[in-house]
Amino acid sequence: CIGGDAQAVPRHGHSLFNDARDSCACRRHGAFVLADNTDAPSTEDLQKAFPNLFKYQRSRFEIKIKHVDFIDTAKLLSLPSADGQTFFFCKKYLRYLRDESLYAHVPPPQPLKVSGFTAAEEQQMENHKFKLYNGEVRGGVYGFKISEWLKARLRAVWNCYIKDYFGDKMPHYHMQSQQKIFKKLSALAGESTVFVQFDFASYYDQFRLEGIIPSYFCFKGRKGETFSLTRLPMGFSLACAMAQFATWQVLNFDKESTPFTCIDNVAFAGTLAQVHHDVTLFLKRCVAVNATLNDFTTETIADYLRAPKDEQLRTVLSWHKNEFTFLGVAYNWMERTKSLSEKTTDKLEATRRCLQAIDGEITPRQLATIIGLLRYASVVTETHSFSRYDLMSWTRRLGSFLQEDLARWDNQVLHFPPEYKIELLAWFDEVKLAKATPIAYTLPSVQPTTIITDASGIGWGAVMVQNGRITQAEGRWDTEIQSSVAAEPKGVFEAAKALLKTKPKDILVLTDHQPLVFSANSQAPRSFHYNELFKNLAAEFPETKFWFQFLPGNVNVADALSRGQGGQCDERRAREFAGTGWLTALSFYTQGRLCPKCQTPTLPWQY
């Protein structure tokens, strides 16, 4: 499954996929699986396909079950809470573990399916993942397994058929974007900064389904028995929200360091004293709610908490590494650089091999999984998605079609144009070859060269402010351009070519065309004309960073120039707008914007 840790490789020349229209749950879920999923490839095949992954001597994998205890959700909600909103949402979404009234809108279940596990595997998982069930069945799941080559094991996956009925129940919250993480880490990186991270073990398995709720997650065993899940399945739409809010509630105390979280991953960055304070409180709260952490046994945590402060400080410092991996990104603390982690690179290689096996047809979920991985890698490596505009535009046109019927994500087979397959393969190669980049781009401390632009149906006009000096330029179109969506980006590029005799490191562009500003600060411009502008700027000025800000049209000093009215612009106002525009850009890119619904900061993409 290329959406998670699992990978797939060719075996004896077989296709990686079952028939395009069969009912394999793995295929419906975007998992790329072997046609005979019960066997692993031979050691020779694995070694040839993935020499970097060949870290084991076994040619057959087994399902690995990590036995973890349940989190005590009552104690979780009784922890002292510094933030009332976090507590409110945690309490709200943990109700889905026990409150039957929240499932009232779920329709009667379809006939249960037999699991994709062997009888021996069912026996191995019984009493940990599920139990025999004799009551009324209210909903079904289908269990299947996928191979995790990176961990040399099989993983149990659950497709929950009721998941689509909870699409409108998802909470409105923002997890920290990679850009936000980069900015925070860049500000913190240094010799005196300590970075310590933890992750919860089999996190979803730590949440118990209580009361009547297991009846919504039933399946047929190999021998005909009815089983029901006892633990929160990853394939349930609300699982991510429940787990994330539970993590935030564990961290719901007054912190001294800077925290980073993503569902089961938690990290702290700051001075040794700050990180020690927060790590100690975090571990105490984990013990209080019976949460299980990877690589930290109950005894290890107890020993740490009993130790005197100076010994705790030495222990925390021993957990810090100057080169570390967090959420698929490898960081070099001393050089302040980032790159794709080895594990992420291996996933890209394995996914590329899966893509090569596709022959003309693909499901929307498979396509979304591939593009999602590439978009993630592009953010880390700072490779531009605008060079893939036609491909991205084709995928966006699927949006309304898929929203009409969510089942189409899994059961609709799309014709996959060969030119887009070639483009995706090239995208894989581009991100894999990318070099390490700065953790975050450093904003210049002084105001850069500023270009104020405007365009009309007959031409363009621009005013450049450079070191206090004013230069203006204008031009006319060969034929009238009716649309501002076409005229404005073309005017920006013509202005940059005409006015920039050198190629400075930073350029601030002020324009009264708001959609262009929005596209410049997003990861995937949705207009062909905007996309052409960004592509042309990158080709003409490869070493220059362009910053875009909005300037209201009624004060745009380039307006008369674009309309052929000539004359000298108001130089005082031009200098004033250049200065205030840069101050706005500094605030915008360092502090970020606020989500209009929840006032949570969200950061734009830096073009």
Side-chain angles (χ1 to χ4, degrees), residues 468-493:
R469 297 193 302 272
I470 301 294
T471 308
Q472 62 185 52
E474 58 184 284
R476 299 291 166 264
W477 311 130
D478 294 334
T479 57
E480 185 176 356
I481 300 178
Q482 299 288 340
S483 170
S484 62
V485 172
E488 294 286 356
K490 187 174 182 180
V492 170
F493 185 60

PDB file of all heavy atoms in Angstrom, residues 468-493:
ATOM      1  N   GLY A 468      15.440  53.196  -3.715  1.00  0.00           N
ATOM      2  CA  GLY A 468      14.870  54.539  -3.678  1.00  0.00           C
ATOM      3  C   GLY A 468      14.673  55.171  -5.037  1.00  0.00           C
ATOM      4  O   GLY A 468      14.007  56.209  -5.152  1.00  0.00           O
ATOM      5  N   ARG A 469      15.246  54.597  -6.095  1.00  0.00           N
ATOM      6  CA  ARG A 469      15.116  55.156  -7.454  1.00  0.00           C
ATOM      7  C   ARG A 469      13.865  54.594  -8.131  1.00  0.00           C
ATOM      8  O   ARG A 469      13.509  53.431  -7.940  1.00  0.00           O
ATOM      9  CB  ARG A 469      16.345  54.840  -8.284  1.00  0.00           C
ATOM     10  CG  ARG A 469      17.637  55.468  -7.756  1.00  0.00           C
ATOM     11  CD  ARG A 469      18.750  55.380  -8.803  1.00  0.00           C
ATOM     12  NE  ARG A 469      18.988  53.999  -9.184  1.00  0.00           N
ATOM     13  CZ  ARG A 469      19.844  53.190  -8.539  1.00  0.00           C
ATOM     14  NH1 ARG A 469      20.511  53.640  -7.481  1.00  0.00           N
ATOM     15  NH2 ARG A 469      20.044  51.961  -8.951  1.00  0.00           N
ATOM     16  N   ILE A 470      13.235  55.435  -8.938  1.00  0.00           N
ATOM     17  CA  ILE A 470      11.995  55.067  -9.623  1.00  0.00           C
ATOM     18  C   ILE A 470      12.269  54.862 -11.108  1.00  0.00           C
ATOM     19  O   ILE A 470      12.881  55.718 -11.767  1.00  0.00           O
ATOM     20  CB  ILE A 470      10.907  56.145  -9.458  1.00  0.00           C
ATOM     21  CG1 ILE A 470      10.583  56.366  -7.976  1.00  0.00           C
ATOM     22  CG2 ILE A 470       9.647  55.759 -10.233  1.00  0.00           C
ATOM     23  CD1 ILE A 470       9.942  55.188  -7.300  1.00  0.00           C
ATOM     24  N   THR A 471      11.809  53.724 -11.649  1.00  0.00           N
ATOM     25  CA  THR A 471      11.871  53.463 -13.086  1.00  0.00           C
ATOM     26  C   THR A 471      10.505  52.967 -13.518  1.00  0.00           C
ATOM     27  O   THR A 471       9.904  52.126 -12.836  1.00  0.00           O
ATOM     28  CB  THR A 471      12.926  52.397 -13.418  1.00  0.00           C
ATOM     29  OG1 THR A 471      14.172  52.757 -12.837  1.00  0.00           O
ATOM     30  CG2 THR A 471      13.096  52.252 -14.930  1.00  0.00           C
ATOM     31  N   GLN A 472       9.993  53.480 -14.619  1.00  0.00           N
ATOM     32  CA  GLN A 472       8.698  53.016 -15.096  1.00  0.00           C
ATOM     33  C   GLN A 472       8.800  52.540 -16.535  1.00  0.00           C
ATOM     34  O   GLN A 472       9.687  52.946 -17.287  1.00  0.00           O
ATOM     35  CB  GLN A 472       7.630  54.101 -14.960  1.00  0.00           C
ATOM     36  CG  GLN A 472       7.863  55.355 -15.757  1.00  0.00           C
ATOM     37  CD  GLN A 472       6.822  56.421 -15.452  1.00  0.00           C
ATOM     38  OE1 GLN A 472       6.591  56.762 -14.294  1.00  0.00           O
ATOM     39  NE2 GLN A 472       6.177  56.939 -16.504  1.00  0.00           N
ATOM     40  N   ALA A 473       7.881  51.640 -16.898  1.00  0.00           N
ATOM     41  CA  ALA A 473       7.873  51.072 -18.250  1.00  0.00           C
ATOM     42  C   ALA A 473       6.446  50.704 -18.608  1.00  0.00           C
ATOM     43  O   ALA A 473       5.577  50.544 -17.733  1.00  0.00           O
ATOM     44  CB  ALA A 473       8.789  49.843 -18.326  1.00  0.00           C
ATOM     45  N   GLU A 474       6.183  50.580 -19.899  1.00  0.00           N
ATOM     46  CA  GLU A 474       4.851  50.172 -20.369  1.00  0.00           C
ATOM     47  C   GLU A 474       4.984  49.507 -21.727  1.00  0.00           C
ATOM     48  O   GLU A 474       6.017  49.610 -22.399  1.00  0.00           O
ATOM     49  CB  GLU A 474       3.924  51.384 -20.460  1.00  0.00           C
ATOM     50  CG  GLU A 474       4.427  52.490 -21.373  1.00  0.00           C
ATOM     51  CD  GLU A 474       3.518  53.701 -21.346  1.00  0.00           C
ATOM     52  OE1 GLU A 474       2.438  53.626 -21.979  1.00  0.00           O
ATOM     53  OE2 GLU A 474       3.889  54.702 -20.694  1.00  0.00           O
ATOM     54  N   GLY A 475       3.937  48.778 -22.116  1.00  0.00           N
ATOM     55  CA  GLY A 475       3.930  48.085 -23.395  1.00  0.00           C
ATOM     56  C   GLY A 475       2.513  47.828 -23.859  1.00  0.00           C
ATOM     57  O   GLY A 475       1.554  47.982 -23.096  1.00  0.00           O
ATOM     58  N   ARG A 476       2.380  47.462 -25.124  1.00  0.00           N
ATOM     59  CA  ARG A 476       1.051  47.215 -25.702  1.00  0.00           C
ATOM     60  C   ARG A 476       0.985  45.803 -26.257  1.00  0.00           C
ATOM     61  O   ARG A 476       1.972  45.260 -26.771  1.00  0.00           O
ATOM     62  CB  ARG A 476       0.778  48.210 -26.842  1.00  0.00           C
ATOM     63  CG  ARG A 476       0.785  49.657 -26.403  1.00  0.00           C
ATOM     64  CD  ARG A 476      -0.418  49.992 -25.503  1.00  0.00           C
ATOM     65  NE  ARG A 476      -0.219  51.277 -24.829  1.00  0.00           N
ATOM     66  CZ  ARG A 476       0.258  51.412 -23.604  1.00  0.00           C
ATOM     67  NH1 ARG A 476       0.595  50.346 -22.912  1.00  0.00           N
ATOM     68  NH2 ARG A 476       0.411  52.606 -23.058  1.00  0.00           N
ATOM     69  N   TRP A 477      -0.218  45.202 -26.164  1.00  0.00           N
ATOM     70  CA  TRP A 477      -0.435  43.862 -26.712  1.00  0.00           C
ATOM     71  C   TRP A 477      -0.582  43.943 -28.226  1.00  0.00           C
ATOM     72  O   TRP A 477      -1.054  44.959 -28.760  1.00  0.00           O
ATOM     73  CB  TRP A 477      -1.686  43.213 -26.131  1.00  0.00           C
ATOM     74  CG  TRP A 477      -1.836  43.254 -24.637  1.00  0.00           C
ATOM     75  CD1 TRP A 477      -2.930  43.665 -23.940  1.00  0.00           C
ATOM     76  CD2 TRP A 477      -0.878  42.835 -23.655  1.00  0.00           C
ATOM     77  NE1 TRP A 477      -2.725  43.553 -22.591  1.00  0.00           N
ATOM     78  CE2 TRP A 477      -1.461  43.038 -22.388  1.00  0.00           C
ATOM     79  CE3 TRP A 477       0.416  42.332 -23.716  1.00  0.00           C
ATOM     80  CZ2 TRP A 477      -0.804  42.741 -21.201  1.00  0.00           C
ATOM     81  CZ3 TRP A 477       1.075  42.041 -22.539  1.00  0.00           C
ATOM     82  CH2 TRP A 477       0.479  42.238 -21.305  1.00  0.00           C
ATOM     83  N   ASP A 478      -0.214  42.905 -28.915  1.00  0.00           N
ATOM     84  CA  ASP A 478      -0.413  42.851 -30.370  1.00  0.00           C
ATOM     85  C   ASP A 478      -1.893  42.816 -30.696  1.00  0.00           C
ATOM     86  O   ASP A 478      -2.343  43.426 -31.672  1.00  0.00           O
ATOM     87  CB  ASP A 478       0.287  41.619 -30.943  1.00  0.00           C
ATOM     88  CG  ASP A 478       1.800  41.709 -30.810  1.00  0.00           C
ATOM     89  OD1 ASP A 478       2.323  42.844 -30.760  1.00  0.00           O
ATOM     90  OD2 ASP A 478       2.448  40.653 -30.739  1.00  0.00           O
ATOM     91  N   THR A 479      -2.652  42.069 -29.893  1.00  0.00           N
ATOM     92  CA  THR A 479      -4.110  42.027 -30.041  1.00  0.00           C
ATOM     93  C   THR A 479      -4.720  42.228 -28.665  1.00  0.00           C
ATOM     94  O   THR A 479      -4.114  41.894 -27.640  1.00  0.00           O
ATOM     95  CB  THR A 479      -4.587  40.685 -30.619  1.00  0.00           C
ATOM     96  OG1 THR A 479      -4.138  39.614 -29.768  1.00  0.00           O
ATOM     97  CG2 THR A 479      -4.046  40.471 -32.018  1.00  0.00           C
ATOM     98  N   GLU A 480      -5.910  42.768 -28.619  1.00  0.00           N
ATOM     99  CA  GLU A 480      -6.565  43.060 -27.341  1.00  0.00           C
ATOM    100  C   GLU A 480      -6.798  41.765 -26.551  1.00  0.00           C
ATOM    101  O   GLU A 480      -7.210  40.751 -27.102  1.00  0.00           O
ATOM    102  CB  GLU A 480      -7.895  43.774 -27.574  1.00  0.00           C
ATOM    103  CG  GLU A 480      -8.574  44.207 -26.280  1.00  0.00           C
ATOM    104  CD  GLU A 480      -9.845  45.001 -26.521  1.00  0.00           C
ATOM    105  OE1 GLU A 480     -10.150  45.287 -27.711  1.00  0.00           O
ATOM    106  OE2 GLU A 480     -10.533  45.336 -25.534  1.00  0.00           O
ATOM    107  N   ILE A 481      -6.546  41.831 -25.254  1.00  0.00           N
ATOM    108  CA  ILE A 481      -6.775  40.684 -24.355  1.00  0.00           C
ATOM    109  C   ILE A 481      -7.998  41.005 -23.503  1.00  0.00           C
ATOM    110  O   ILE A 481      -7.997  41.963 -22.726  1.00  0.00           O
ATOM    111  CB  ILE A 481      -5.543  40.424 -23.468  1.00  0.00           C
ATOM    112  CG1 ILE A 481      -4.319  40.104 -24.334  1.00  0.00           C
ATOM    113  CG2 ILE A 481      -5.820  39.287 -22.493  1.00  0.00           C
ATOM    114  CD1 ILE A 481      -3.044  39.871 -23.537  1.00  0.00           C
ATOM    115  N   GLN A 482      -9.024  40.226 -23.644  1.00  0.00           N
ATOM    116  CA  GLN A 482     -10.293  40.506 -22.974  1.00  0.00           C
ATOM    117  C   GLN A 482     -10.277  40.134 -21.494  1.00  0.00           C
ATOM    118  O   GLN A 482     -10.949  40.746 -20.678  1.00  0.00           O
ATOM    119  CB  GLN A 482     -11.427  39.738 -23.680  1.00  0.00           C
ATOM    120  CG  GLN A 482     -11.625  40.117 -25.125  1.00  0.00           C
ATOM    121  CD  GLN A 482     -12.234  41.500 -25.270  1.00  0.00           C
ATOM    122  OE1 GLN A 482     -12.841  42.020 -24.330  1.00  0.00           O
ATOM    123  NE2 GLN A 482     -12.070  42.109 -26.440  1.00  0.00           N
ATOM    124  N   SER A 483      -9.501  39.117 -21.131  1.00  0.00           N
ATOM    125  CA  SER A 483      -9.561  38.581 -19.770  1.00  0.00           C
ATOM    126  C   SER A 483      -8.402  39.078 -18.919  1.00  0.00           C
ATOM    127  O   SER A 483      -7.238  39.017 -19.338  1.00  0.00           O
ATOM    128  CB  SER A 483      -9.542  37.042 -19.818  1.00  0.00           C
ATOM    129  OG  SER A 483      -9.357  36.497 -18.515  1.00  0.00           O
ATOM    130  N   SER A 484      -8.718  39.546 -17.707  1.00  0.00           N
ATOM    131  CA  SER A 484      -7.654  39.966 -16.789  1.00  0.00           C
ATOM    132  C   SER A 484      -6.842  38.770 -16.307  1.00  0.00           C
ATOM    133  O   SER A 484      -5.668  38.915 -15.943  1.00  0.00           O
ATOM    134  CB  SER A 484      -8.252  40.695 -15.583  1.00  0.00           C
ATOM    135  OG  SER A 484      -9.120  39.828 -14.848  1.00  0.00           O
ATOM    136  N   VAL A 485      -7.467  37.587 -16.289  1.00  0.00           N
ATOM    137  CA  VAL A 485      -6.750  36.378 -15.885  1.00  0.00           C
ATOM    138  C   VAL A 485      -5.592  36.099 -16.841  1.00  0.00           C
ATOM    139  O   VAL A 485      -4.546  35.576 -16.434  1.00  0.00           O
ATOM    140  CB  VAL A 485      -7.708  35.167 -15.825  1.00  0.00           C
ATOM    141  CG1 VAL A 485      -6.949  33.874 -15.588  1.00  0.00           C
ATOM    142  CG2 VAL A 485      -8.752  35.375 -14.747  1.00  0.00           C
ATOM    143  N   ALA A 486      -5.756  36.477 -18.117  1.00  0.00           N
ATOM    144  CA  ALA A 486      -4.684  36.310 -19.098  1.00  0.00           C
ATOM    145  C   ALA A 486      -3.749  37.513 -19.118  1.00  0.00           C
ATOM    146  O   ALA A 486      -2.529  37.374 -19.258  1.00  0.00           O
ATOM    147  CB  ALA A 486      -5.277  36.077 -20.481  1.00  0.00           C
ATOM    148  N   ALA A 487      -4.302  38.723 -18.960  1.00  0.00           N
ATOM    149  CA  ALA A 487      -3.506  39.933 -19.105  1.00  0.00           C
ATOM    150  C   ALA A 487      -2.576  40.184 -17.923  1.00  0.00           C
ATOM    151  O   ALA A 487      -1.405  40.547 -18.108  1.00  0.00           O
ATOM    152  CB  ALA A 487      -4.427  41.138 -19.306  1.00  0.00           C
ATOM    153  N   GLU A 488      -3.068  40.027 -16.697  1.00  0.00           N
ATOM    154  CA  GLU A 488      -2.277  40.395 -15.512  1.00  0.00           C
ATOM    155  C   GLU A 488      -0.983  39.585 -15.379  1.00  0.00           C
ATOM    156  O   GLU A 488       0.094  40.161 -15.195  1.00  0.00           O
ATOM    157  CB  GLU A 488      -3.128  40.259 -14.245  1.00  0.00           C
ATOM    158  CG  GLU A 488      -4.295  41.231 -14.169  1.00  0.00           C
ATOM    159  CD  GLU A 488      -3.868  42.655 -13.859  1.00  0.00           C
ATOM    160  OE1 GLU A 488      -2.661  42.888 -13.632  1.00  0.00           O
ATOM    161  OE2 GLU A 488      -4.742  43.537 -13.853  1.00  0.00           O
ATOM    162  N   PRO A 489      -1.017  38.242 -15.453  1.00  0.00           N
ATOM    163  CA  PRO A 489       0.258  37.511 -15.342  1.00  0.00           C
ATOM    164  C   PRO A 489       1.205  37.800 -16.499  1.00  0.00           C
ATOM    165  O   PRO A 489       2.423  37.859 -16.308  1.00  0.00           O
ATOM    166  CB  PRO A 489      -0.176  36.038 -15.315  1.00  0.00           C
ATOM    167  CG  PRO A 489      -1.553  36.011 -15.871  1.00  0.00           C
ATOM    168  CD  PRO A 489      -2.170  37.320 -15.525  1.00  0.00           C
ATOM    169  N   LYS A 490       0.651  38.008 -17.688  1.00  0.00           N
ATOM    170  CA  LYS A 490       1.512  38.339 -18.817  1.00  0.00           C
ATOM    171  C   LYS A 490       2.182  39.690 -18.589  1.00  0.00           C
ATOM    172  O   LYS A 490       3.367  39.888 -18.912  1.00  0.00           O
ATOM    173  CB  LYS A 490       0.692  38.359 -20.110  1.00  0.00           C
ATOM    174  CG  LYS A 490       1.531  38.527 -21.366  1.00  0.00           C
ATOM    175  CD  LYS A 490       0.677  38.390 -22.629  1.00  0.00           C
ATOM    176  CE  LYS A 490       1.551  38.525 -23.875  1.00  0.00           C
ATOM    177  NZ  LYS A 490       0.757  38.395 -25.119  1.00  0.00           N
ATOM    178  N   GLY A 491       1.441  40.626 -17.990  1.00  0.00           N
ATOM    179  CA  GLY A 491       2.004  41.937 -17.693  1.00  0.00           C
ATOM    180  C   GLY A 491       3.132  41.856 -16.678  1.00  0.00           C
ATOM    181  O   GLY A 491       4.129  42.586 -16.791  1.00  0.00           O
ATOM    182  N   VAL A 492       3.008  40.993 -15.682  1.00  0.00           N
ATOM    183  CA  VAL A 492       4.068  40.837 -14.682  1.00  0.00           C
ATOM    184  C   VAL A 492       5.353  40.360 -15.350  1.00  0.00           C
ATOM    185  O   VAL A 492       6.450  40.880 -15.086  1.00  0.00           O
ATOM    186  CB  VAL A 492       3.639  39.847 -13.578  1.00  0.00           C
ATOM    187  CG1 VAL A 492       4.821  39.496 -12.674  1.00  0.00           C
ATOM    188  CG2 VAL A 492       2.495  40.431 -12.755  1.00  0.00           C
ATOM    189  N   PHE A 493       5.240  39.363 -16.224  1.00  0.00           N
ATOM    190  CA  PHE A 493       6.438  38.821 -16.865  1.00  0.00           C
ATOM    191  C   PHE A 493       7.086  39.844 -17.804  1.00  0.00           C
ATOM    192  O   PHE A 493       8.315  40.002 -17.817  1.00  0.00           O
ATOM    193  CB  PHE A 493       6.089  37.551 -17.622  1.00  0.00           C
ATOM    194  CG  PHE A 493       7.282  36.854 -18.218  1.00  0.00           C
ATOM    195  CD1 PHE A 493       8.314  36.403 -17.411  1.00  0.00           C
ATOM    196  CD2 PHE A 493       7.381  36.669 -19.598  1.00  0.00           C
ATOM    197  CE1 PHE A 493       9.432  35.773 -17.948  1.00  0.00           C
ATOM    198  CE2 PHE A 493       8.485  36.041 -20.145  1.00  0.00           C
ATOM    199  CZ  PHE A 493       9.510  35.586 -19.320  1.00  0.00           C
TER     200      PHE A 493
END
